[in-house]
Each structure stands twice: as C-alpha cells, then as structure tokens.
Amino acid sequence: MKEREYRALNKMLRYLSDYKRESVLAPLFKMLEATFDLFVPLVMADIVNVGIAAHDFHYILVRCGILLLLAFVGLVCSLTAQYFSAKAAVGYSTGLRHALFEHIQRLSFTEMDTMGTSTLITRMTSDVNQVQSGLNLFLRLFLRSPFVVFGAMVMAFTVNFRAALIFVVAIPLLSVVVFGVMVITRPLYKSVQTRLDRVLGLTRENLTGVRVVRAFDKEKSEVERFENANDLLTKMQLHVGHISALMNPLTYVLINIAIVALLYVGSIEINVGGMASGDVIALVNYMNQILVELVKLANLIVQVSKALACAGRVQAVLDTTPGMAFPEKLLGEVPAEKSGDAVRFEHVSLTYAGAGAPSLSDISFTAKRGQTIGVIGGTGSGKSTLVKQLVRQLPICEGTLFINNEPIENFEQETVRSRVGYVPQEHILFSRSVERNVAIGDSHATEEEIDHAIALADFAKDIENLPQGLDTVVGEYGVTLSGGQKQRLAIARAFLKDADVLVLDDSLSAVDGKTESNIIQTLKEYRSKKTNIIVAHRLSAVMHADEIIVMDNGKIVERGTHRELMERHGWYSEQFISCLLYTSPSPRDLSTS
C-alpha cells in the first residue's frame, strides 16, 4: 500500500468516529459466526463415528438438532454483523459525501476549473461508493477469513496431528496461487479501467457532439475510432479474464490433491486405529472452508485496494485549499444607503493559475449608487473575469475591490453574495417549475413578488403560452425553453433578489432588440437608486449607460459616455460605425450618428 493511501486512510477515518460501536461489533459477530462454522465438521464427525457406526438414530437426531442450532445462531450472528457493518459503511459514506460536497462549495472557480467538473462528480459518487463498499467488506471479512483459515488448521490438529500436517503444506500453496493471480491482475485491471475511460470518453463526445458529427458526415470515422478503442478494451479484458480464470482450476487442483493426501493418510490412520472415518470427513470439510475463505480474502484485498485508491482521490479534493477565505463576521461596515461609491476597483489585477499572462491588469474605476455601467470589449478581453470579482468567484491577485467603501475581503460569504445580484453568461436553470426557478433569487418571496420580477424581465407573456403557467417544469437545464427565455428567467431571478449591485454578464445576447430595450428601460426605472453593471458584446445594450468601459487584453482602454467615446474615434467609435455600415443605414443616419 502506498504511503499516500495510508495518509488518506488516517485522515478519512475521522468520519467513522460516530460509528465506533458498529465498527467493533460487526467483526466480532462475524468471528462468532466463524466459530460456530468451525464446530460443524466436528459434529459431522460425531454423527459418522458414533451415530451411524452404532445405528443410534436418537444420537443422530440430537446431533442434527445441534447442527440446526449452530446454523441458526450463525445466521443470526451473520445478519447482525451485516447490519452493523452496513450501518457503519453507509453512515461513514454519508458523512464523507456531505463533507466533500461542503468543501467543494468553498472552492473558488480556479480550483474547480483546475480539477474539472466531471472529476469532482466522479469522486463524490463513484469513488465514495467504492470506499463504502470496501469498508463494508473490510468490517465483515478482515477478521473472519484469517480466523477461519488458521482456526481450521488448529481444529485439524485436534483431530489428527499427522493429517493436519497436510494443511501446513496446502495453505501456503493455496495462498501463493490466490494472491499470485491477484498481484498479476491488479495492475492489468487498472489498465482496463483506463481503456474503459477512453471508450466512455469517446461515447460522451459523440453523444454530445452528434449534430457536428452528422453535419460534417463523420459517422464512419467516429465509428472506426470507437471500434478501435472498444477492441483494445475487449482484448485487455480477455487477457485479464484468462489469467483470472486460472485461479479456480489451480486452487481446485491443489485442494483435490490435498484431499487425496488426506484420504490416503486417513486410511492409514484408520487401519492403525489412529482416527475414525468421520474424522476424515471433518478434515475434508476444513480443507474446503480454507479454500473458500482464501478466495474471499483475495477478493477482499482487491476491493480494499480499490477503496484505498478511491479514498486517496477523495482526500486529494479535501486537501485542496480554497483560494479565497471569507471572514466569519464583518465589523465596522458602512451602511449601503450612506455610501456614495457602490463599487470601486483600485488597481485590481488577476492571473489565472497556469496562465502565462494576466487576465486583468491595473483595473481602476468607480460605480456610484444609481449609476449604470456598461462594460464592452472583444472576446477574451476580460469582461466576465472583471465582474466575477464582484461575487468573489475568483481571487484578487493585486489591488483592492471595495463595496460600499469596504474591502470585499472583509465581507463574509453570505453578505457579499446578498449584496450583488449576478446573471452569468451560462444561464443555468434547474429541472423545476418556472416559479421555483425564479424563487432561487429569494426563497421567501411571495407569489406577487415573483410575478412582478417576471414582468420586469419581460417574461409575463411567455408565461401565458406555457402549458401550466408558473407551474410548468422547464426540464433539465431548461431544455423546453428557448435561449432568450432562459436568459429572461435568469434575469427575473436577479430582479427578485433586488441586490444593491446587479451584474448582467452578457445576459441579453439571446433576446431581440425590442426585448433588450424593454429590459434596459426597466433597469433605469426600477433600479434608478441602485447600481447596474451590464457586460455585453452588442453596443445597443450599453450605449445608454452612464459610463461605458471598453476593455482589451485585460485592460481598460477607453471609458466615458457614448457621446464622449464617439468623439474620441477609438475602438468604440469604430465598432459603432461598423455596426451602422453592416445594417446599411442611409447617409442621413450616418451623419446624425
């Protein structure tokens, strides 16, 4: 076992602290079950040696009753052990999953992007389930299997010393076969998993990009890629399967040879009066018990090894330190209504982890209460990175960001998120009703407040066309809605929150010009005393803002009102004229502009 796996195991055992009693009782009851199993061959030997030899049916019936009693008590012990082990394993995995989910919620987008969403989902589901399964098996078998193997050998010595020496030879040979096959196949199974990941990756790519594949007539080439990856997976699985298949015949050959040796030695001992015929049956039963337990132990080691590997992956996430720390309490806060500056950037810079150049460089500007700020620029200019700082989705590398004249680092998480309403580029909706999707902005909102927010987002008429109105379930990611409808629902969610600062991160790109104009007019009227920041690609979304910030390569290159920027004949002016030329305006319109 690797040192990293040991460290992961030690750290993760703390989630088992609430189930110490179950973790002790489960293996103890399994050992009780094993103890009763070890007495069964001796009772069988008595039946043969005494009952059958003397034709004493009463003795046989009594011993059969003892066998039934041993079986019943063993069953009760087994069920009890299973209950405690399952309770400990499920409780442990529940605590671990909660801790992992809570930790992921504290990670910044930098750490989450570095690890990847799919990896986090896999570690919180598949890996935790594997740890749970491994813990369950460990609690039930880690004492039982060795106890039965050595207990059977000890019991064999109580039957006959010479015959028991065969166990001393057979057990190491069986162990070599069982664990030898396990050692050989374990790395091969890892290769199988790697190739399975490749097949699953290709399948996911093709299902996600099926429209692109069909549009470019690439079905045949994609089928060939899949078949090649699948063939490699199949060959590896067959190779591992062939090696694993050797375990049963080899072990049964050794067991049969040991049984033949037992019968040979037993016949000699019976002739000289050293043992009875029933004792031979007992020794054969002990040999079979050893075989079964060794196979169980090998499977246990494989499962525990997988569980430890998965535990290491889970612990790697738990060991990831969040890039941003939030204080527990904010003292000396300036009340929002008494602060003239709602938002103030002072020389803010940011560089993504692993990036060669900064994404933001020396950003400084102020957004006062009641102002609408427009942020515009080309693709990759840093617009979204800029506004993500306001909800602390990304850490600030240099400089200071103030909200209500208070550094944003001084705000606890709940406060900073409540002060800023944010509509991201990816307008994610949940598989809930329209009403519950909007109510995410305020879980205590009344139906009238939800209706008002929907009306402000210009979505009221769309509600009338939905089959069940506000109770219509939009489906996963809002698949039943158009792009513009999704954006307006996300905007309604932000309107319902009614935060001091509202950020629309390119959230009007999928709506038509009239709807865009209505929403912008609503911002001016409904949020005239609060701050709005609009990030957009279209000039029409920001041209009426109190101040327009033009970004390029993570820097502010121009700022001012629409008229001021047009008079400077810079990037903004060029884009505006290009838009007019693209829409083929009349000379009179151009001269007016």
Side-chain angles (χ1 to χ4, degrees):
M1 192 187 303
K2 296 180 180 179
E3 183 181 354
R4 183 181 64 181
E5 295 174 352
Y6 272 122
R7 291 200 303 268
L9 180 62
N10 290 332
K11 290 182 179 179
M12 297 179 70
L13 282 178
R14 65 179 181 269
Y15 301 106
L16 200 59
S17 58
D18 294 334
Y19 300 94
K20 293 179 180 178
R21 181 171 63 93
E22 289 81 0
S23 301
V24 174
L25 291 176
L28 286 180
F29 274 99
K30 267 297 178 180
M31 288 182 65
L32 282 175
E33 178 201 359
T35 302
F36 292 121
D37 288 345
L38 290 175
F39 283 114
V40 170
L42 296 180
V43 178
M44 288 294 298
D46 282 345
I47 292 175
V48 175
N49 295 336
V50 180
I52 294 178
H55 301 286
D56 188 348
F57 291 103
H58 176 73
Y59 189 88
I60 294 173
L61 290 175
V62 171
R63 289 299 182 271
C64 288
I66 294 175
L67 287 177
L68 291 175
L69 179 62
L70 290 174
F72 177 76
V73 175
L75 176 63
V76 172
C77 291
S78 177
L79 293 177
T80 305
Q82 179 63 50
Y83 169 77
F84 285 124
S85 63
K87 184 178 180 180
V90 172
Y92 171 81
S93 63
T94 300
L96 177 60
R97 195 177 286 110
H98 284 171
L100 184 60
F101 186 80
E102 183 179 353
H103 184 75
I104 291 174
Q105 294 300 315
R106 292 198 298 267
L107 296 177
S108 70
F109 278 71
T110 302
E111 290 88 34
M112 296 182 70
D113 292 340
T114 301
M115 288 184 285
T117 304
S118 59
T119 298
L120 293 174
I121 292 175
T122 300
R123 297 189 186 191
M124 198 167 62
T125 53
S126 177
D127 287 349
V128 173
N129 287 339
Q130 191 69 54
V131 172
Q132 174 184 326
S133 177
L135 178 61
N136 194 353
L137 287 173
F138 181 75
L139 291 176
R140 287 190 289 120
L141 298 177
F142 85 103
L143 284 180
R144 173 191 163 85
S145 292
F147 180 78
V148 171
V149 170
F150 292 103
M153 186 172 64
V154 171
M155 297 297 283
F157 275 102
T158 64
V159 175
N160 185 275
F161 181 82
R162 292 184 180 180
L165 293 176
I166 298 173
F167 285 78
V168 178
V169 178
I171 290 176
L173 291 178
L174 287 170
S175 301
V176 169
V177 171
V178 172
F179 294 107
V181 171
M182 184 198 69
V183 170
I184 294 173
T185 56
R186 183 182 175 186
L188 295 178
Y189 275 121
K190 290 184 179 180
S191 300
V192 168
Q193 288 299 117
T194 302
R195 295 188 180 183
L196 178 61
D197 290 341
R198 174 61 177 165
V199 171
L200 293 176
L202 289 174
T203 304
R204 182 176 179 275
E205 283 183 1
N206 279 275
L207 291 177
T208 304
V210 62
R211 292 178 175 83
V212 177
V213 172
R214 293 179 180 177
F216 289 91
D217 193 25
K218 292 294 182 180
E219 290 93 334
K220 291 183 178 179
S221 62
E222 291 301 318
V223 169
E224 289 178 1
R225 290 177 64 206
F226 178 82
E227 288 181 347
N228 291 335
N230 195 39
D231 287 342
L232 291 174
L233 173 62
T234 303
K235 291 177 181 178
M236 179 59 72
Q237 285 178 323
L238 289 174
H239 178 58
V240 178
H242 291 157
I243 297 175
S244 299
L246 294 174
M247 181 182 293
N248 281 343
L250 289 176
T251 52
Y252 279 106
V253 166
L254 290 174
I255 284 292
N256 286 323
I257 292 174
I259 291 174
V260 169
L262 282 175
L263 293 175
Y264 176 76
V265 174
S267 64
I268 296 174
E269 290 294 318
I270 291 173
N271 287 333
V272 300
M275 61 188 297
S277 57
D279 297 336
V280 178
I281 297 175
L283 293 174
V284 172
N285 285 335
Y286 283 132
M287 186 64 70
N288 287 326
Q289 285 184 351
I290 289 172
L291 171 64
V292 172
E293 294 303 325
L294 283 175
V295 173
K296 284 184 181 179
L297 189 60
N299 291 330
L300 171 65
I301 293 175
V302 172
Q303 291 298 324
V304 170
S305 298
K306 291 180 180 179
L308 287 174
C310 293
R313 286 161 52 88
V314 173
Q315 188 60 46
V317 178
L318 294 174
D319 287 340
T320 302
T321 304
M324 296 183 295
F326 291 87
E328 296 182 359
K329 188 176 180 181
L330 173 63
L331 299 175
E333 179 188 358
V334 178
E337 61 274 7
K338 295 183 180 180
S339 172
D341 297 341
V343 175
R344 186 168 79 251
F345 285 78
E346 288 189 358
H347 308 289
V348 172
S349 298
L350 180 141
T351 303
Y352 284 100
S359 298
L360 294 178
S361 299
D362 197 26
I363 301 295
S364 297
F365 73 91
T366 300
K368 297 185 177 296
R369 291 181 56 80
Q371 274 192 326
T372 296
I373 304 295
V375 181
I376 197 168
T379 302
S381 59
K383 304 184 300 297
S384 295
T385 302
L386 174 69
V387 295
K388 284 180 180 178
Q389 304 276 8
L390 288 169
V391 285
R392 294 211 71 189
Q393 291 185 354
L394 295 171
I396 297 175
C397 297
E398 297 178 11
T400 308
L401 170 59
F402 295 88
I403 295 181
N404 298 336
N405 289 331
E406 187 73 30
I408 195 171
E409 292 86 354
N410 294 349
F411 286 95
E412 61 267 48
Q413 180 173 324
E414 183 178 354
T415 301
V416 69
R417 300 279 164 82
S418 65
R419 293 292 175 87
V420 181
Y422 178 52
V423 184
Q425 286 182 333
E426 298 179 0
H427 28 273
I428 301 297
L429 300 179
F430 299 93
S431 183
R432 307 174 184 173
S433 65
V434 172
E435 182 179 10
R436 298 321 304 162
N437 267 287
V438 176
I440 292 174
D442 183 0
S443 57
H444 302 292
T446 63
E447 186 173 343
E448 290 75 15
E449 291 172 333
I450 293 175
D451 290 337
H452 182 57
I454 289 174
L456 292 176
D458 202 17
F459 196 70
K461 293 182 179 179
D462 297 81
I463 295 292
E464 299 175 359
N465 298 325
L466 294 177
Q468 296 177 346
L470 285 174
D471 295 327
T472 302
V473 178
V474 300
E476 187 177 6
Y477 295 108
V479 294
T480 59
L481 303 178
S482 67
Q485 289 175 325
K486 294 177 187 177
Q487 282 191 339
R488 281 179 286 156
L489 266 186
I491 293 172
R493 195 158 57 194
F495 277 140
L496 183 64
K497 187 176 181 179
D498 196 26
D500 295 334
V501 180
L502 176 61
V503 178
L504 302 181
D505 186 3
D506 201 18
S507 303
L508 300 173
S509 59
V511 301
D512 57 78
K514 182 180 179 182
T515 303
E516 177 188 277
S517 177
N518 291 340
I519 293 175
I520 292 176
Q521 185 63 30
T522 299
L523 287 175
K524 289 183 177 181
E525 296 175 358
Y526 176 68
R527 293 182 53 83
S528 59
K529 296 182 179 180
K530 298 185 178 181
T531 305
N532 307 304
I533 299 178
I534 302 174
V535 177
H537 283 93
R538 294 196 306 220
L539 299 180
S540 58
V542 300
M543 60 184 297
H544 299 291
D546 298 311
E547 184 177 23
I548 302 171
I549 294 174
V550 181
M551 298 193 65
D552 185 35
N553 292 326
K555 300 178 180 179
I556 296 178
V557 293
E558 295 180 63
R559 56 187 300 180
T561 63
H562 171 72
R563 181 179 295 277
E564 292 171 347
L565 293 177
M566 289 299 296
E567 292 174 353
R568 293 174 188 169
H569 303 291
W571 183 93
Y572 182 89
S573 174
E574 292 176 359
Q575 293 296 315
F576 189 81
I577 294 175
S578 297
C579 291
L580 292 178
L581 293 175
Y582 179 74
T583 54
S584 301
S586 63
R588 177 175 170 274
D589 293 332
L590 282 173
S591 61
T592 302
S593 301

